C-alpha cells in the first residue's frame, strides 16, 4: 500500500516468542478441565505430566506493560511508524495463532495476519483506548477478514497437528513426548467437535490468553454470557474426554 509504514516481514512470525505456546495453552485447558470443584474428577490422566501442567493461567499483562502498550498506541495514532512496528511485534503471534486455527493453512494465515495489521495501521486513529488490551481490536479485525475469505463465518477449529507440534517445546524423554502428544491430540479433536461459539470461546480464552472482557468484546457478548459459554464448553470437553487413559 503506497505510503504505508513498512512492517516486519511475515516470515519473522516463526522466530517471535510464542505467547502463549501451544504447550502452555493446552496445559491451561487441561487445568480448566480438572478444576471447577472436582467436576473433572471423571477425567483420567494417567500419562506423565507435561512441563506446563498445573493450575497455570495465561498471565494478564502487568500494569507497566499495559502503560507501555497504551503509550505505543498513542504514538502510533500520531503517525509514529516505529511505535506501530512495536505493537506488531507484541501482538503478531496472538493474531497469527487465532488465524491459523481458523484456516489451517500457513501461507493463507500469514497473508491474513499481514492484512490484519495493514488494516489496523490504516485505522489505528479509530481505536479508542478504554483500559482494555488492544489485542481484542486486532483479533476482531482478523475475525472479520477471515469471514470475508471463507464461505461461512462460522468458527471452525482447524489447527493442524503439525503446526501444534512445530510450535511446541521439545520433551526430553521420547516416551513422555509421545504420551503427551497423544493426549493433546485427543483434546484438539474434542475442541474441533465443540459448537462454533464454544470452540471460539476456548480458542480466545486459552490459545490467545485473552481476558474475559476482551473475549466478550471480540464475540460481541456480555461477560456473563462468555462465562456461561466457557462453562458449557469445558463441560462438553470433560464429557468428550471422560475415561480417557493414555
Amino acid at each position: 500500500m503506497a505510503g504505508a509504514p513498512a512492517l516486519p516481514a511475515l516470515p519473522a512470525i516463526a522466530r517471535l516468542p510464542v505467547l502463549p505456546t501451544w504447550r502452555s495453552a493446552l496445559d491451561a485447558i487441561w487445568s480448566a478441565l480438572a478444576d471447577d470443584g472436582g467436576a473433572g474428577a471423571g477425567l483420567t490422566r494417567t500419562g506423565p505430566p507435561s512441563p506446563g501442567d498445573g493450575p497455570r493461567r495465561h498471565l494478564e499483562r502487568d500494569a507497566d506493560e499495559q502503560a507501555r502498550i497504551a503509550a505505543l498506541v498513542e504514538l502510533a495514532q500520531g503517525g509514529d511508524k516505529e511505535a506501530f512496528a512495536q505493537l506488531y511485534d507484541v501482538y503478531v503471534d496472538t493474531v497469527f495463532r487465532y488465524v491459523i486455527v481458523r484456516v489451517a493453512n500457513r501461507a493463507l494465515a500469514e497473508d491474513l495476519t499481514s492484512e490484519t495489521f495493514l488494516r489496523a495501521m490504516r485505522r489505528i486513529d479509530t481505536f479508542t483506548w478504554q483500559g482494555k488490551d488492544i489485542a481484542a481490536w486486532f483479533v476482531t479485525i482478523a475475525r472479520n477478514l477471515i469471514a470475508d475469505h471463507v464461505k461461512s463465518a462460522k468458527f471452525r477449529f482447524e489447527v493442524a497437528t503439525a503446526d501444534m507440534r512445530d510450535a511446541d517445546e521439545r520433551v526430553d524423554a521420547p516416551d513422555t513426548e509421545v504420551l503427551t502428544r497423544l493426549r493433546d491430540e485427543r483434546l484438539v479433536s474434542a475442541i474441533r467437535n465443540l459448537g462454533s461459539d464454544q470452540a471460539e470461546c476456548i480458542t480466545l480464552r486459552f490459545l490467545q490468553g485473552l481476558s474475559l472482557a476482551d473475549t466478550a468484546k471480540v464475540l460481541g457478548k456480555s461477560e456473563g454470557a462468555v462465562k456461561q459459554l466457557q462453562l458449557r464448553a469445558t463441560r462438553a470437553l470433560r464429557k468428550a474426554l471422560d475415561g480417557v487413559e493414555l
Side-chain angles (χ1 to χ4, degrees):
M1 184 179 70
L7 294 177
L10 258 291
I13 287 175
R15 299 192 298 271
L16 290 174
V18 181
L19 300 171
T21 62
W22 283 112
R23 176 72 275 126
S24 63
L26 293 174
D27 286 341
I29 300 175
W30 280 116
S31 293
L33 297 180
D35 289 344
D36 194 22
L43 184 64
T44 303
R45 299 177 59 191
T46 58
S50 51
D53 274 352
R56 291 177 53 186
R57 292 291 181 270
H58 305 315
L59 298 177
E60 300 287 344
R61 298 183 190 279
D62 62 27
D64 288 343
E65 178 66 2
Q66 282 285 36
R68 186 179 80 88
I69 295 298
L72 288 174
V73 170
E74 184 176 354
L75 289 170
Q77 290 179 322
D80 190 317
K81 297 179 181 180
E82 176 58 29
F84 188 86
Q86 288 186 49
L87 289 173
Y88 173 93
D89 287 342
V90 172
Y91 292 103
V92 64
D93 183 73
T94 295
V95 173
F96 180 74
R97 180 66 55 76
Y98 179 79
V99 176
I100 195 68
V101 302
R102 293 293 307 271
V103 301
N105 179 295
R106 182 166 290 274
L108 178 58
E110 290 180 356
D111 288 344
L112 290 172
T113 300
S114 180
E115 180 58 29
T116 294
F117 283 96
L118 287 171
R119 185 170 293 190
M121 182 171 53
R122 293 193 294 265
R123 300 178 180 178
I124 189 68
D125 60 329
T126 68
F127 175 76
T128 302
W129 186 263
Q130 297 176 327
K132 294 185 173 66
D133 200 330
I134 194 174
W137 187 65
F138 288 132
V139 171
T140 299
I141 293 173
R143 191 176 191 240
N144 292 334
L145 281 172
I146 292 166
D148 292 340
H149 280 79
V150 298
K151 292 182 180 179
S152 172
K154 183 178 180 180
F155 184 89
R156 290 176 295 180
F157 189 89
E158 300 286 359
V159 62
T161 301
D163 287 313
M164 181 177 68
R165 289 177 177 174
D166 288 345
D168 263 346
E169 299 172 357
R170 299 291 295 178
V171 179
D172 291 336
D175 289 345
T176 299
E177 183 178 6
V178 169
L179 290 172
T180 298
R181 285 181 173 177
L182 285 173
R183 185 192 67 193
D184 289 340
E185 286 170 17
R186 291 295 297 270
L187 175 58
V188 168
S189 178
I191 295 172
R192 286 196 181 103
N193 290 327
L194 289 174
S196 174
D197 286 349
Q198 291 181 5
E200 186 163 24
C201 179
I202 290 293
T203 296
L204 292 170
R205 291 287 283 135
F206 295 106
L207 300 187
Q208 265 52 59
L210 294 189
S211 67
L212 188 66
D214 286 334
T215 299
K217 183 176 180 180
V218 172
L219 296 179
K221 299 179 182 293
S222 69
E223 291 186 31
V226 171
K227 284 182 180 178
Q228 290 302 311
L229 189 60
Q230 181 177 325
L231 179 61
R232 290 195 297 272
T234 53
R235 285 177 175 172
L237 289 175
R238 286 190 197 104
K239 184 176 180 180
L241 295 166
D242 187 54
V244 170
E245 294 186 11
L246 297 177

